[in-house]
Short mmCIF file of all heavy atoms in Angstrom, two decimals:
data_model
loop_
_atom_site.label_atom_id
_atom_site.label_comp_id
_atom_site.label_asym_id
_atom_site.label_seq_id
_atom_site.Cartn_x
_atom_site.Cartn_y
_atom_site.Cartn_z
N VAL R 155 109.93 136.42 192.44
CA VAL R 155 109.19 135.98 191.25
C VAL R 155 108.19 137.06 190.89
O VAL R 155 107.42 137.54 191.75
CB VAL R 155 108.46 134.64 191.49
CG1 VAL R 155 107.63 134.26 190.25
CG2 VAL R 155 109.44 133.53 191.84
N LEU R 156 108.22 137.45 189.63
CA LEU R 156 107.28 138.46 189.13
C LEU R 156 106.41 137.84 188.03
O LEU R 156 106.92 137.22 187.11
CB LEU R 156 108.02 139.67 188.57
CG LEU R 156 108.80 140.54 189.55
CD1 LEU R 156 109.63 141.56 188.78
CD2 LEU R 156 107.86 141.23 190.52
N ILE R 157 105.11 138.03 188.14
CA ILE R 157 104.18 137.71 187.06
C ILE R 157 103.57 139.04 186.64
O ILE R 157 102.78 139.63 187.36
CB ILE R 157 103.08 136.72 187.51
CG1 ILE R 157 103.72 135.39 187.91
CG2 ILE R 157 102.07 136.51 186.38
CD1 ILE R 157 102.71 134.35 188.37
N GLY R 158 103.99 139.50 185.46
CA GLY R 158 103.65 140.85 185.08
C GLY R 158 104.37 141.80 186.03
O GLY R 158 105.57 141.67 186.27
N ALA R 159 103.64 142.73 186.61
CA ALA R 159 104.22 143.66 187.57
C ALA R 159 103.99 143.21 189.01
O ALA R 159 104.42 143.88 189.95
CB ALA R 159 103.64 145.06 187.37
N GLN R 160 103.33 142.07 189.19
CA GLN R 160 102.97 141.59 190.52
C GLN R 160 104.03 140.63 191.06
O GLN R 160 104.35 139.61 190.44
CB GLN R 160 101.61 140.88 190.48
CG GLN R 160 101.15 140.35 191.83
CD GLN R 160 99.81 139.62 191.75
OE1 GLN R 160 99.20 139.54 190.69
NE2 GLN R 160 99.37 139.10 192.87
N GLU R 161 104.57 140.93 192.22
CA GLU R 161 105.49 140.01 192.88
C GLU R 161 104.67 138.94 193.60
O GLU R 161 103.74 139.26 194.34
CB GLU R 161 106.38 140.75 193.87
CG GLU R 161 107.41 139.83 194.53
CD GLU R 161 108.40 140.58 195.41
OE1 GLU R 161 108.35 141.83 195.42
OE2 GLU R 161 109.21 139.91 196.07
N VAL R 162 105.03 137.70 193.34
CA VAL R 162 104.24 136.59 193.91
C VAL R 162 105.13 135.66 194.72
O VAL R 162 106.34 135.52 194.46
CB VAL R 162 103.52 135.79 192.80
CG1 VAL R 162 102.57 136.68 192.02
CG2 VAL R 162 104.52 135.13 191.86
N LYS R 163 104.53 135.05 195.70
CA LYS R 163 105.16 134.00 196.49
C LYS R 163 104.26 132.77 196.40
O LYS R 163 103.17 132.84 195.81
CB LYS R 163 105.34 134.45 197.93
CG LYS R 163 106.19 135.71 198.07
CD LYS R 163 106.41 136.07 199.51
CE LYS R 163 107.23 137.35 199.65
NZ LYS R 163 108.56 137.25 199.03
N GLU R 164 104.71 131.67 196.95
CA GLU R 164 103.86 130.48 196.90
C GLU R 164 102.54 130.75 197.62
O GLU R 164 102.50 131.38 198.67
CB GLU R 164 104.57 129.28 197.53
CG GLU R 164 105.58 128.62 196.60
CD GLU R 164 105.77 127.15 196.91
OE1 GLU R 164 106.05 126.84 198.08
OE2 GLU R 164 105.63 126.33 195.98
N ASN R 165 101.48 130.27 197.01
CA ASN R 165 100.11 130.41 197.50
C ASN R 165 99.51 131.79 197.27
O ASN R 165 98.38 132.07 197.70
CB ASN R 165 99.99 130.04 198.99
CG ASN R 165 100.31 128.58 199.24
OD1 ASN R 165 99.88 127.71 198.48
ND2 ASN R 165 101.08 128.31 200.29
N THR R 166 100.27 132.66 196.58
CA THR R 166 99.68 133.93 196.15
C THR R 166 98.63 133.64 195.07
O THR R 166 98.84 132.81 194.19
CB THR R 166 100.73 134.88 195.59
OG1 THR R 166 101.69 135.17 196.61
CG2 THR R 166 100.11 136.19 195.11
N GLU R 167 97.49 134.32 195.13
CA GLU R 167 96.44 134.14 194.11
C GLU R 167 96.64 135.17 193.00
O GLU R 167 96.78 136.37 193.27
CB GLU R 167 95.06 134.28 194.73
CG GLU R 167 94.69 133.13 195.65
CD GLU R 167 93.23 133.14 196.05
OE1 GLU R 167 92.59 134.23 195.96
OE2 GLU R 167 92.71 132.08 196.46
N VAL R 168 96.67 134.67 191.77
CA VAL R 168 96.91 135.53 190.61
C VAL R 168 95.80 135.29 189.59
O VAL R 168 95.43 134.14 189.32
CB VAL R 168 98.28 135.23 189.96
CG1 VAL R 168 98.50 136.11 188.73
CG2 VAL R 168 99.39 135.44 190.98
N LYS R 169 95.28 136.34 189.02
CA LYS R 169 94.23 136.22 188.02
C LYS R 169 94.82 135.74 186.70
O LYS R 169 95.84 136.27 186.23
CB LYS R 169 93.54 137.57 187.82
CG LYS R 169 92.33 137.52 186.89
CD LYS R 169 91.65 138.86 186.84
CE LYS R 169 90.53 138.88 185.82
NZ LYS R 169 89.48 137.91 186.13
N PRO R 170 94.23 134.73 186.07
CA PRO R 170 94.73 134.23 184.79
C PRO R 170 94.82 135.34 183.75
O PRO R 170 93.92 136.17 183.63
CB PRO R 170 93.71 133.17 184.39
CG PRO R 170 93.18 132.68 185.69
CD PRO R 170 93.11 133.90 186.57
N ALA R 171 95.92 135.33 183.01
CA ALA R 171 96.16 136.34 181.97
C ALA R 171 97.43 135.97 181.23
O ALA R 171 98.16 135.05 181.61
CB ALA R 171 96.29 137.73 182.59
N THR R 172 97.70 136.71 180.17
CA THR R 172 98.98 136.59 179.45
C THR R 172 99.84 137.77 179.86
O THR R 172 99.46 138.92 179.67
CB THR R 172 98.75 136.60 177.93
OG1 THR R 172 97.93 135.48 177.57
CG2 THR R 172 100.07 136.50 177.19
N SER R 173 100.99 137.46 180.43
CA SER R 173 101.87 138.53 180.93
C SER R 173 103.32 138.05 180.84
O SER R 173 103.62 137.07 180.15
CB SER R 173 101.49 138.91 182.37
OG SER R 173 101.52 137.75 183.20
N ALA R 174 104.22 138.71 181.56
CA ALA R 174 105.63 138.32 181.58
C ALA R 174 105.93 137.57 182.87
O ALA R 174 105.20 137.68 183.87
CB ALA R 174 106.52 139.56 181.48
N LEU R 175 107.01 136.79 182.84
CA LEU R 175 107.44 136.03 184.02
C LEU R 175 108.92 136.27 184.26
O LEU R 175 109.74 136.18 183.33
CB LEU R 175 107.18 134.54 183.81
CG LEU R 175 107.75 133.59 184.87
CD1 LEU R 175 107.04 133.79 186.21
CD2 LEU R 175 107.66 132.14 184.42
N GLU R 176 109.25 136.54 185.52
CA GLU R 176 110.66 136.68 185.92
C GLU R 176 110.90 135.89 187.20
O GLU R 176 110.09 135.97 188.15
CB GLU R 176 111.02 138.15 186.15
CG GLU R 176 110.97 139.02 184.91
CD GLU R 176 111.42 140.44 185.18
OE1 GLU R 176 112.12 140.65 186.21
OE2 GLU R 176 111.07 141.34 184.40
N ILE R 177 112.01 135.14 187.21
CA ILE R 177 112.40 134.39 188.40
C ILE R 177 113.86 134.74 188.70
O ILE R 177 114.73 134.58 187.84
CB ILE R 177 112.25 132.87 188.19
CG1 ILE R 177 110.82 132.53 187.77
CG2 ILE R 177 112.63 132.11 189.46
CD1 ILE R 177 110.61 131.08 187.40
N HIS R 178 114.11 135.20 189.91
CA HIS R 178 115.45 135.65 190.28
C HIS R 178 115.94 134.88 191.51
O HIS R 178 115.20 134.65 192.46
CB HIS R 178 115.46 137.15 190.59
CG HIS R 178 114.99 138.00 189.45
ND1 HIS R 178 115.78 138.34 188.38
CD2 HIS R 178 113.77 138.58 189.21
CE1 HIS R 178 115.11 139.09 187.54
NE2 HIS R 178 113.87 139.26 188.01
N LYS R 179 117.24 134.50 191.44
CA LYS R 179 117.89 133.82 192.56
C LYS R 179 119.37 134.16 192.51
O LYS R 179 120.03 134.08 191.46
CB LYS R 179 117.68 132.31 192.45
CG LYS R 179 118.41 131.50 193.52
CD LYS R 179 117.81 131.74 194.90
CE LYS R 179 118.51 130.84 195.94
NZ LYS R 179 118.00 131.09 197.33
N ALA R 180 119.91 134.57 193.63
CA ALA R 180 121.33 134.90 193.72
C ALA R 180 122.18 133.71 193.27
O ALA R 180 121.89 132.56 193.62
CB ALA R 180 121.70 135.31 195.15
N ALA R 181 123.22 134.00 192.48
CA ALA R 181 124.17 133.01 191.95
C ALA R 181 123.59 132.20 190.79
O ALA R 181 124.26 131.29 190.29
CB ALA R 181 124.68 132.07 193.05
N TYR R 182 122.39 132.52 190.34
CA TYR R 182 121.79 131.83 189.20
C TYR R 182 121.40 132.86 188.13
O TYR R 182 121.08 134.02 188.44
CB TYR R 182 120.53 131.05 189.61
CG TYR R 182 120.80 129.78 190.36
CD1 TYR R 182 120.92 129.80 191.76
CD2 TYR R 182 120.94 128.56 189.70
CE1 TYR R 182 121.15 128.63 192.47
CE2 TYR R 182 121.17 127.38 190.41
CZ TYR R 182 121.28 127.43 191.79
OH TYR R 182 121.52 126.26 192.49
#
Side-chain angles (χ1 to χ4, degrees):
V155 177
L156 293 171
I157 297 179
Q160 180 181 358
E161 183 174 354
V162 300
K163 302 183 182 300
E164 280 208 307
N165 296 317
T166 298
E167 291 190 339
V168 179
K169 186 175 174 61
T172 299
S173 56
L175 172 67
E176 294 184 20
I177 304 174
H178 302 280
K179 176 68 177 177
Y182 285 89

